[in-house]
Amino acid sequence: MMGRNGSIHTIVLVLVMLIGFGAALGWPQYEKHRTIAAAQKALDIGKSLAFAEASYKEHYKAYTPDFELLDADLPCPVERAEGKIEMVCSDYTFSLAEGNLVRVAHKNYPKWFDINIDQGSIDCSHEEGSLVGQHICDRVNLSNSKN
């Protein structure tokens, strides 16, 4: 009876170790995928804001830092603090920078997208040496096809 109990414990231990090993290998890949998906979503929101800003400028002859004035569905709340107006989502903040740039900044990583409304260009920037920032910039689709 004792030998049988020991072998069941051994099998359970091996299964737990295999599951743990699989999770240890799979979790970083899952986090990378999740980070890239969030960046792509944030970039798409930024493109929509840039398009709405361009439409706003056609009508009012100027851009607005207050995204609530745009004719767009905002996925996150707009916050006003310390003279800044930002739309704040879970991982990213959105703001109008330098008059004609929609800035999409990550909250935790030194990384951002600048969408130049006038030129229709997108710049993905990150702090030098930031592997996460470089990885995100390398993986997201920077094309303007959704604008």
Side-chain angles (χ1 to χ4, degrees):
M1 192 75 144
M2 200 63 160
R4 194 173 198 193
N5 236 356
S7 62
I8 290 175
H9 288 163
T10 303
I11 291 170
V12 169
L13 178 63
V14 168
L15 287 174
V16 168
M17 287 176 55
L18 285 173
I19 291 170
F21 187 68
L25 290 177
W27 187 255
Q29 290 301 317
Y30 168 75
E31 282 297 313
K32 280 184 188 179
H33 175 73
R34 196 172 127 312
T35 301
I36 298 302
Q40 187 66 54
K41 182 178 179 184
L43 180 59
D44 292 342
I45 292 169
K47 289 177 185 180
S48 296
L49 289 173
F51 182 76
E53 284 282 2
S55 297
Y56 184 90
K57 184 179 181 185
E58 282 181 21
H59 191 263
Y60 296 101
K61 309 296 183 226
Y63 298 119
T64 178
D66 188 351
F67 296 138
E68 289 181 330
L69 298 177
L70 301 174
D71 188 23
D73 292 329
L74 301 178
C76 305
V78 173
E79 295 181 4
R80 293 162 179 76
E82 300 171 14
K84 292 192 309 185
I85 300 173
E86 296 179 325
M87 183 173 71
V88 180
C89 295
S90 59
D91 293 324
Y92 288 86
T93 60
F94 302 81
S95 61
L96 188 68
E98 300 172 26
N100 68 337
L101 297 176
V102 173
R103 170 135 317 146
V104 182
H106 198 283
K107 287 182 175 179
N108 300 323
Y109 302 126
K111 194 214 71 50
W112 60 88
F113 301 108
D114 279 338
I115 304 168
N116 188 312
I117 303 167
D118 296 333
Q119 297 175 358
S121 63
I122 301 171
D123 177 40
C124 185
S125 302
H126 53 85
E127 221 172 59
E128 190 172 330
S130 169
L131 295 177
V132 173
Q134 182 179 0
H135 183 74
I136 291 171
C137 287
D138 290 345
R139 297 288 174 107
V140 294
N141 178 9
L142 294 177
S143 71
N144 287 333
S145 62
K146 292 189 179 183
N147 242 357

